[in-house]
Amino acid sequence: MITYQFISTLADAKPNSHLIARSASSLLPESALVDEMRQQNTVADTRFGCAPFARITLLPDALWHDALTEGLLAALRPLLAVPASADIVLDVTDIGEVVLAQVLRFLFNQAHRLSDLKLKKTDDAVRLTCITALCLPEQRAKLETIFRQQQAIALGMVAARRLADIPSDRCTPQFMIEEAQKLCATYPALRCEVLNEKDIVEQGLGLLHAVGKGAACPPRLLAVHYNGVSDGPVRCYVGKGITFDTGGLWLKEGAGMYTMKYDMCGAANVLGLMLTVAELKLPVRIMGVLALAENAIGPEAMQPGTVATACNGTTVEINNTDAEGRLVLADAIAWASQRHPQARYIIDMATLTGAVVKALGYELSGLMTQDEPLREALTGAGKRSGDEVWSLPLDARLKKQTDSAIADLCNTPTNNAAISASAAWLLHHFCPPTIPWAHLDISGTALWRENGRSVASGRPIPLLVEHLVGDLSRVTAAPYPA
């Protein structure tokens, strides 16, 4: 884990660290080099003549308050691609709170690199081990809270990212179960409950079974229980965990399959969220549900036209086997609502539709809910955390998109319209109206894309922690919102 500390003068900084500061910072040393760097209107960076530092980077003041376009992160990414030092001194004397959260998550997330998977020969590079915050004495108490929370958020993000980045021939449903059990074992407040393929059939999760039965690696359902208090309402999170998505008999083209090992990011992020909550020791009860399956081709693979029955008795015509994520989510949402019929809310997350990327791009997660207080709370949490959502419509005008002549519902609209919202309309049938429910389509945000490559991002864990912390400030015994 990357550690942190606070100082109020640069004289207390570790030797040979990397100083990153505002160009106008009043705490910078007086020198000809610093004066010359201050004159530049862009990034000023040097590794020469900057003793006792290994590197000095001065960044324009405007970037330190640019939460919308993440300008500070964009400037830092190339600088830290090959770190000059294991220690960073970060000037936080005048920085926007959202920007600080974004930057801290980025820095703490340096604990994971693809090279850590040991699948590629690489040279040992310098790794960030400590973040030193340069602050004013009166800022320290508030900063302590921010740093601790963002460090815990990053811990969950790193766990989720590591799982998601593992190739799918290794990261099977059973592998995810075993890794989750290892990670949860370090926290006494976390307990894992596993349903194997036999349990899934016996408990009537026919949609999850239909998706997973064609694979050599059978499906699993994992419920992670966290009891930070002995009683009170349970908050539920559900994640899509398709460890690889071929599209099934509705086969994807090769280019569309390349990143499909990441189709389990929703489930990985639910696990990461549970680890963050346990690390923060939040006084709350939570159940995280991971619906795990591989959508494969085989003699037992589901066929277009198959009708399967969910654990709440709803039948679904599977007219497109490549719309499998909503099937496993639907069963998991219904299962969670049966386990906790008085749940405070259920929030699901999934890399569900490419359509949401066309609508919102890669910066915003799609939010779909019919519960206005929950919509407002999640939208506000997104703005406060810098992990934002944008609402898409969800009402009865979408009903025709899920009509089926043979079953209660069909899993995709035959007119290929409103794909993201139609998927959410299908899902809403599986959460009782007495439980507030929201769906997050994270197809655009679950991955970080750079130079034509994709890696897991760990989003929307920051959003969900911010929302959860805010929700805990309410009277938790009352219906949402208290």
Side-chain angles (χ1 to χ4, degrees):
M1 180 183 292
I2 296 171
T3 61
Y4 62 88
Q5 62 180 5
F6 300 93
I7 61 173
S8 296
T9 173
L10 286 176
D12 295 329
K14 294 181 180 180
N16 297 313
S17 55
H18 180 183
L19 171 62
I20 302 173
R22 295 181 302 116
S23 298
S25 176
S26 61
L27 298 182
L28 291 174
E30 296 295 333
S31 69
L33 174 64
V34 170
D35 289 343
E36 182 178 349
M37 295 177 72
R38 285 184 194 270
Q39 303 307 312
Q40 300 188 38
N41 295 320
T42 183
V43 176
D45 180 62
T46 184
R47 300 190 188 195
F48 303 100
C50 49
F53 300 101
R55 187 175 192 174
I56 296 177
T57 305
L58 301 187
L59 299 166
D61 287 23
L63 298 182
W64 298 77
H65 294 272
D66 177 15
L68 186 62
T69 67
E70 298 185 350
L72 191 57
L73 283 187
L76 290 177
R77 284 185 186 278
L79 294 173
L80 294 181
V82 182
S85 172
D87 302 293
I88 281 180
V89 179
L90 182 68
D91 174 17
V92 295
T93 54
D94 184 14
I95 184 172
E97 197 164 312
V98 175
V99 177
L100 177 59
Q102 292 171 335
V103 170
L104 288 179
R105 290 197 297 267
F106 166 69
L107 293 176
F108 284 125
N109 264 275
Q110 299 305 301
H112 169 62
R113 295 178 180 175
L114 283 178
S115 59
D116 295 340
L117 301 179
K118 301 188 184 304
L119 300 175
K120 181 179 180 180
K121 294 178 181 178
T122 57
D123 296 328
D124 291 336
V126 174
R127 299 292 294 265
L128 178 63
T129 60
C130 182
I131 304 166
T132 297
L134 177 64
C135 64
L136 303 175
E138 59 269 23
Q139 295 176 305
R140 180 163 177 169
K142 184 177 182 179
L143 288 171
E144 285 272 12
T145 300
I146 295 172
F147 270 67
R148 178 174 176 268
Q149 180 171 311
Q150 298 307 321
Q151 183 188 47
I153 289 172
L155 179 145
M157 293 173 75
V158 164
R161 290 173 57 222
R162 281 177 173 154
L163 264 180
D165 285 334
I166 295 172
S168 57
D169 63 325
R170 291 171 52 195
C171 189
T172 64
Q174 181 60 29
F175 179 89
M176 286 193 67
I177 294 290
E178 293 168 2
E179 289 300 299
Q181 290 172 328
K182 291 176 188 175
L183 291 167
C184 292
T186 60
Y187 297 98
L190 293 177
R191 176 177 64 85
C192 291
E193 175 187 1
V194 180
L195 273 62
N196 62 23
E197 64 268 40
K198 181 180 178 182
D199 301 322
I200 287 169
V201 172
E202 288 179 350
Q203 296 195 26
L205 283 85
L207 304 184
L208 176 57
H209 171 68
V211 173
K213 66 188 178 71
C217 305
R220 296 284 186 267
L221 186 131
L222 171 65
V224 181
H225 303 273
Y226 171 79
N227 290 312
V229 289
S230 58
D231 57 14
V234 175
R235 293 157 171 85
C236 297
Y237 299 89
V238 175
K240 169 188 172 183
I242 303 298
T243 57
F244 193 79
D245 182 17
T246 66
L249 294 181
W250 203 290
L251 188 66
K252 295 178 185 288
E253 62 177 13
M257 259 193 266
Y258 181 68
T259 59
M260 284 302 102
K261 71 174 184 178
Y262 290 114
D263 215 16
M264 40 65 77
C265 280
N269 290 335
V270 168
L271 175 60
L273 173 66
M274 301 301 291
L275 296 172
T276 290
V277 169
E279 179 70 18
L280 290 172
K281 299 180 180 178
L282 295 181
V284 65
R285 297 174 69 207
I286 297 178
M287 181 175 71
V289 181
L290 286 66
L292 305 168
E294 181 181 335
N295 188 21
I297 297 174
E300 300 299 318
M302 59 180 173
Q303 302 169 347
T306 294
V307 175
T309 304
C311 66
N312 69 347
T314 301
T315 58
V316 180
E317 178 188 5
I318 302 169
N319 56 5
N320 183 338
T321 65
D322 195 23
E324 83 299 326
R326 64 201 70 181
L327 298 176
V328 303
L329 276 179
D331 246 346
I333 291 167
W335 187 85
S337 70
Q338 292 170 354
R339 290 295 299 271
H340 295 291
Q342 304 299 319
R344 185 162 173 81
Y345 55 71
I346 296 176
I347 297 173
D348 77 75
M349 65 207 76
T351 50
L352 205 62
T353 68
V356 83
V357 182
K358 291 180 173 63
L360 301 178
Y362 299 113
E363 310 304 325
L364 297 162
S365 297
L367 166 63
M368 283 146 274
T369 180
Q370 292 184 307
D371 190 277
E372 293 306 317
L374 188 53
R375 183 196 313 277
E376 182 180 347
L378 285 166
T379 301
K383 292 178 179 178
R384 293 191 303 274
S385 65
D387 185 6
E388 292 196 50
V389 298
W390 195 268
S391 288
L392 293 174
L394 185 67
D395 57 45
R397 286 173 289 188
L398 295 164
K399 182 179 182 299
K400 60 183 177 294
Q401 301 296 94
T402 58
D403 281 344
S404 168
I406 195 172
D408 296 323
L409 301 163
C410 72
N411 72 328
T412 55
T414 55
N415 60 10
N416 206 34
I419 297 297
S420 300
S422 296
W425 181 255
L426 175 84
L427 292 175
H428 103 278
H429 291 85
F430 297 86
C431 186
T434 53
I435 301 177
W437 163 81
H439 164 61
L440 296 173
D441 193 329
I442 59 172
S443 291
T445 55
L447 300 183
W448 167 252
R449 298 161 177 86
E450 188 173 40
N451 299 325
R453 298 180 180 179
S454 299
V455 293
S457 71
R459 292 179 64 186
I461 294 175
L463 160 75
L464 296 171
V465 173
E466 180 66 34
H467 171 256
L468 178 57
V469 170
D471 192 52
L472 282 172
S473 67
R474 305 172 189 269
V475 181
T476 56
Y480 194 91

